[in-house]
Amino acid sequence: MTNKPTKFDSLINVTQPKLPDFNEFTKHLKDIWDRKWLTNDGPKHNQFKDELKNYLSANNVELFTNGHLALEIAIKALELKGEIITTPFTFASTTHAIVNCGLTPIFCDVDSTTYNIDVNQIEKHITDQTSAILAVHVFGTPCDVEGIQEIADKYNLKVIYDAAHAFGVEIDGKPIGNFGDISMFSLHATKVFNSIEGGLLTFNDETLTSKLKALKNFGLTTPDSVDYVGTNAKMNEFQASMGLCNLSNIEEDIGYRKYVSKLYTEGLKNLSNITLLFRQENIRHNYSYYPVLLKDVKMRDELHENLKKYNIITRKYFYPLVNDFNCYNFDSSLTPVAKNISERVLCLPIYSDLDPEVVKAICNTIRYELGEMSND
Ligand code: T4K
């Protein structure tokens, strides 16, 4: 393998949304034009919901305009109060949802292999104010769902999973959305599967359905009664149409991401300064991100900057750590493992139509920049 760097003519971004065949999408648009039904539980929305329920083998599904509002609504629907134990190694949305709902996030450190909440450290954060655990399946790697449920049962806590990255993931053949009380999936343009913007909740307790429906529609339970202080978080017919088109290709898309991921793993193996994400055998992954850890923050920041010279755009997901955000006043030294990962992480470009030759060239460019020439 050669190790010459490659300068690309156009930007290779960390991700790129999957777009369906244009004509397929316009067929849906024609239906919408003919029907003049644009949002509020339209037929496309309902069809999309049924197909997702089937694909995810979920007991119950509700759709939302985006993943973030879905998460806030999940917290409200479970009537959580006080403190929620959560991870600082996540996107802003997870913590903001807790705070926007008037609760206090309590940060638990993460596991150094999965980067997910460290189940062995949860119990020490439980107080008489704790009402739930909000864990994130970061980069689509499942949390220790059994360990978390054991603790939740022992202390009578609810469990919400931020599964924004985990669409299509399975543990021992069981769909990931079936664990905990509620799971939230993001269907944003940057995700493995998108409906432009969009979010969905899967949940086991069917009695939550009417409350979730009301909360996303201003709290209305009938045209004449408003039982909750709700919001507007409904998915519209255009979003649902994009989702329907993309859902028909999802297996192919995940399969292609698996191939890209394998090319990276092959191209970056044996590099002394790079640690690759550990992937467990019993997991059906979705290859949503390709994160690597560099030796230290200096090397990570230099590589991130230097790759820009070649038009390779990587992202520091997730840096800064949430407990270092300017808008909060938490102490990130209390979560040292998360802090260390956050300072070393870099996500490389991955999407479902990324050219294999580009992936190989990115690997060679990284090797060149790190001064590690041989692939043996
Ligand atoms: N929980 C977790 C753990 C999450 O990661 C997220 C979202 C949520 C909750 C909330 O779910 P949503 O409410 O979003 O459904 C992006 C996404 O906007 C965000 O959805 C995602 N996590 C987060 C990890 O990544 P940014 O600020 O990095 O996006 P942006 O605009 O910089 O886009 C990233 C790259 O994607 C760009 O380099 C270019 C490319 N891109 C982006 C868009 C929007 C395109 O090529 N086309 C596009 O249309 O947050």
Side-chain angles (χ1 to χ4, degrees), residues 259-315:
Y259 171 57
V260 169
S261 187
K262 212 171 134 214
L263 289 177
Y264 271 127
T265 304
E266 185 62 27
L268 299 174
K269 73 178 180 198
N270 302 336
L271 279 175
S272 60
N273 288 308
I274 281 195
T275 307
L276 306 180
L277 180 63
F278 175 69
R279 298 205 185 265
Q280 300 154 43
E281 288 287 315
N282 63 329
I283 306 301
R284 193 245 189 187
H285 295 283
N286 68 0
Y287 309 93
S288 47
Y289 292 83
Y290 198 92
V292 296
L293 298 189
L294 277 301
K295 197 179 69 182
D296 54 32
V297 64
K298 183 168 175 287
M299 188 179 279
R300 189 275 306 271
D301 287 350
E302 277 174 9
L303 185 62
H304 172 70
E305 278 309 311
N306 289 344
L307 289 175
K308 287 182 191 167
K309 289 188 304 204
Y310 306 102
N311 281 334
I312 301 168
I313 310 300
T314 58
R315 290 294 287 265

Side-chain angles (χ1 to χ4, degrees), residues 120-145:
N120 296 314
Q121 298 202 47
I122 293 177
E123 275 188 279
K124 71 178 179 196
H125 294 291
I126 295 175
T127 70
D128 56 3
Q129 296 296 305
T130 311
S131 59
I133 300 165
L134 201 179
V136 181
H137 303 301
V138 176
F139 304 138
T141 303
C143 294
D144 177 352
V145 290

